[in-house]
Amino acid sequence: MRTIFKSLFLLILIIPCSLQASTLYPTEQENINVFKEVSPLVVNVQNIKRIRRTFDAINVPAGTGSGFIWRKDGHIVTNFHVIRGAKSVMISMQNGKSYKARIVGAEPLKDIAILKIDDKEALAHIGKLKPLPVSYTHLRAHETEADL
């Protein structure tokens, strides 16, 4: 009797899992594939501000946001409101490591900013990532016409 209950219990667990995997719509599977492909390009951006106290100054986190790796040379796109007033910027990647970035440019009215990582270890990691397809163009993120 116990064996029958164990078998039924396992079937109850297995059948929904197998049905779920086979009942994905093509668009759902496409979304999953896109996420798996591009998620390594997504980074965490941390805004560090310097606060002065009576006799000293300390760096404190002032905000966080996301960004994405745009080019193999270390350029990252984020929102301007994430880095507004930053003394320095730290980038955390999916490999678990954090790197200092510098602000290359910003357009506050369009809420966009470009950062750059110069760390050689970070650039080596970025160089191994698969480019992000951009719309219907033949170019991919972190590529220019010169790269083709």
Side-chain angles (χ1 to χ4, degrees):
M1 192 71 155
R2 280 185 147 182
T3 317
I4 293 173
F5 283 124
K6 284 182 183 177
S7 299
L8 285 174
F9 181 73
L10 286 174
L11 281 174
I12 290 170
L13 290 176
I14 294 172
I15 289 174
C17 292
S18 64
L19 287 176
Q20 182 181 11
S22 65
T23 58
L24 289 176
Y25 291 107
T27 53
E28 292 173 317
Q29 188 60 54
E30 184 178 326
N31 288 340
I32 290 168
N33 293 343
V34 167
F35 175 79
K36 285 179 180 176
E37 186 175 334
V38 301
S39 63
L41 298 170
V42 177
V43 297
N44 175 269
V45 180
Q46 188 172 28
N47 175 340
I48 309 292
K49 287 188 180 177
R50 190 159 185 89
I51 296 182
R52 296 203 181 272
R53 301 240 168 135
T54 308
F55 295 107
D56 61 345
I58 57 171
N59 292 332
V60 295
T64 61
S66 62
F68 63 93
I69 299 168
W70 180 250
R71 294 177 47 102
K72 288 183 179 182
D73 65 358
H75 283 91
I76 293 170
V77 177
T78 190
N79 295 105
F80 174 74
H81 71 267
V82 173
I83 55 104
R84 180 183 294 131
K87 172 67 177 161
S88 63
V89 179
M90 293 299 292
I91 302 297
S92 300
M93 296 188 190
Q94 281 194 356
N95 67 358
K97 297 188 178 180
S98 295
Y99 305 96
K100 189 170 183 173
R102 59 187 167 89
I103 300 169
V104 176
E107 176 50 64
L109 296 175
K110 304 241 189 253
D111 194 29
I112 193 163
I114 306 297
L115 311 173
K116 175 98 169 52
I117 295 177
D118 294 315
D119 185 274
K120 289 181 181 181
E121 178 186 348
L123 294 175
H125 174 71
I126 290 169
K128 296 175 188 172
L129 298 176
K130 186 174 181 184
L132 172 67
V134 179
S135 187
Y136 295 102
T137 178
H138 63 283
L139 293 177
R140 295 177 179 264
H142 69 67
E143 288 183 339
T144 65
E145 292 287 343
D147 294 329
L148 300 177

